[in-house]
Amino acid sequence: MAAYPPSLSTVEPVVAPPSPSSSSSKSSAFNVFHRFASWRNSLGLPNPGTVENLQKEVKSTLLTNFFFDGARADLSKSLSVNPIFQVTHSFALGSQTVAPSYNFGAVFANNNVFLQGGVDHEGNVSGRLNQGWSANNVTKAQCQLSSQVGHSMLQLEHDYQGQDYTVNIKAMNPSPVDATGIYMASYLQSFTKNLALGVEMLHQRPQPEMTETAASYLAKYTNDDKNWIATAQLQPAGMMQATYWQKLSEKVDVAADLQVIAAPGRRDAIATLGAKYDLRMSTFRAQLDSTGKVSALLEQRFAPSFSFLVSGEIDHFKNAAKVGVGVMIESPSMTPEEMNMMQMPPTLPP
């Protein structure tokens, strides 16, 4: 009886044993990586924070992001506490630099999502989304829709915070068709418990035939007690910015900012000194810069839901002055009776 060859489907494939050289190379590479990771963990280096918040303490002390002139009013209503849902009506008029405006905004936030949107009296719409995938991964998106040409904007970015480093990638008005837009990437690494160094790359492509790439170098030094922080940023075209922040006491912070431009066609420098005083029911900020401007801002809180603001600036070189007044009123979502019930101690069962 003739013997037929077995079917191809029943033939077991012959697998060659792994090469000893490849296995040893993989194991050696894994051992090197494991030793390097163990060495980094033994150093106990802290996370340096994000590049966006490199000068966070200085910005919260100086008046750059808080000063206003004219009159303004912010009326807020909290519709929910958990999750947070709040709407705001903002009015501004009488400013010497900004036209009168009205803005309606809303905020929604929970443990993983932050949503903020607004629309002004001219129909311009803005929105912001922060999505937290984990404690170390956050995706952010910002957009602005305007009827004016060139004022619409879309920005996408992602933050990843490792044990001792932070990575951020960002794209502004990216176009998938011709790859135009502005693209940024930054990396900040802690080298010691006090010193962190980083680099930020900027790639601009306003048109398909035009490209420009530049690099900025960052440095941040924090003392052991974390009561003073010094930063430096070297930007392209001979621009440098250095900041210093110190906490003198629980209620007093001081900050200094120095910006130097040493470009071929321009040489300039601006120095700014500021202080912030946190009192029991008020916050006072004062600032002085090398251009002859003296500024101050007082935020007086008469109640947790009502604040009164007064700001002023004197420009000695230009012989000019600005004054601003404002109110901030927040209406809670609970009635006074419900708030009193929440503050009453619970009744024990008999």
Side-chain angles (χ1 to χ4, degrees):
M1 187 173 180
Y4 293 94
S7 174
L8 295 177
S9 60
T10 60
V11 176
E12 296 182 358
V14 178
V15 179
S19 175
S21 60
S22 62
S23 300
S24 60
S25 61
K26 291 181 180 179
S27 61
S28 61
F30 177 78
N31 292 334
V32 171
F33 176 79
H34 180 70
R35 291 179 180 177
F36 180 73
S38 301
W39 174 72
R40 288 181 59 180
N41 294 334
S42 65
L43 295 178
L45 299 179
N47 182 273
T50 62
V51 174
E52 182 181 3
N53 294 329
L54 184 69
Q55 304 165 355
K56 177 182 177 181
E57 293 80 7
V58 175
K59 293 179 180 179
S60 65
T61 303
L62 299 180
L63 282 172
T64 307
N65 298 328
F66 299 93
F67 181 81
F68 68 96
D69 64 329
R72 55 174 287 190
D74 297 325
L75 311 178
S76 302
K77 172 67 176 180
S78 297
L79 303 178
S80 175
V81 178
N82 189 17
I84 299 176
F85 184 41
Q86 185 182 58
V87 295
T88 305
H89 302 270
S90 300
F91 305 86
L93 54 90
S95 174
Q96 300 181 17
T97 57
V98 182
S101 62
Y102 163 77
N103 184 277
F104 172 78
V107 173
F108 174 85
N110 57 22
N111 295 331
N112 300 321
V113 179
F114 175 81
L115 289 170
Q116 183 181 19
V119 57
D120 61 12
H121 65 285
E122 296 181 350
N124 301 320
V125 180
S126 61
R128 179 180 180 184
L129 166 65
N130 290 3
Q131 173 65 54
W133 309 104
S134 64
N136 301 329
N137 282 283
V138 179
T139 301
K140 304 177 183 179
Q142 298 184 38
C143 67
Q144 179 177 340
L145 303 177
S146 176
S147 58
Q148 302 180 10
V149 179
H151 285 249
S152 298
M153 181 269 294
L154 173 64
Q155 177 176 308
L156 305 174
E157 64 176 303
H158 184 81
D159 279 332
Y160 178 77
Q161 299 187 22
Q163 179 181 353
D164 55 2
Y165 67 93
T166 300
V167 178
N168 174 269
I169 55 176
K170 184 183 303 181
M172 300 178 61
N173 293 334
S175 176
V177 179
D178 52 8
T180 58
I182 301 176
Y183 304 90
M184 301 176 65
S186 62
Y187 180 82
L188 192 60
Q189 172 71 55
S190 293
F191 284 87
T192 66
K193 294 184 179 181
N194 306 105
L195 179 63
L197 302 176
V199 61
E200 184 177 49
M201 300 298 298
L202 172 64
H203 179 76
Q204 301 185 63
R205 193 174 185 182
Q207 298 179 4
E209 64 276 3
M210 295 178 58
T211 58
E212 181 182 357
T213 304
S216 301
Y217 303 96
L218 316 169
K220 178 181 180 181
Y221 187 88
T222 307
N223 73 326
D224 296 333
D225 298 333
K226 296 183 179 181
N227 56 10
W228 65 267
I229 300 174
T231 67
Q233 183 174 4
L234 181 61
Q235 301 177 0
M239 293 183 294
M240 187 196 72
Q241 183 178 10
T243 64
Y244 178 81
W245 171 86
Q246 183 172 359
K247 192 173 189 64
L248 300 180
S249 65
E250 295 182 357
K251 299 181 179 181
V252 181
D253 299 347
V254 294
D257 182 12
L258 174 63
Q259 300 182 23
V260 179
I261 301 177
R266 179 185 178 187
R267 293 184 179 273
D268 196 2
I270 299 177
T272 305
L273 298 176
K276 182 181 73 169
Y277 298 85
D278 288 321
L279 305 177
R280 188 175 66 89
M281 292 292 292
S282 62
T283 300
F284 177 74
R285 291 179 173 89
Q287 179 175 304
L288 170 67
D289 61 25
S290 59
T291 62
K293 295 181 181 179
V294 180
S295 309
L297 173 65
L298 173 64
E299 178 183 350
Q300 178 67 48
R301 295 178 293 275
F302 294 99
S305 58
F306 177 73
S307 300
F308 181 74
L309 294 86
V310 180
S311 64
E313 178 185 275
I314 300 177
D315 192 335
H316 292 87
F317 293 167
K318 297 182 180 180
N319 195 19
K322 297 179 182 179
V323 178
V325 293
V327 294
M328 299 175 62
I329 301 175
E330 181 178 355
S331 177
S333 58
M334 295 184 295
T335 61
E337 292 78 9
E338 294 175 339
M339 297 180 65
N340 293 331
M341 292 295 295
M342 291 291 294
Q343 296 176 358
M344 292 179 60
T347 304
L348 297 178

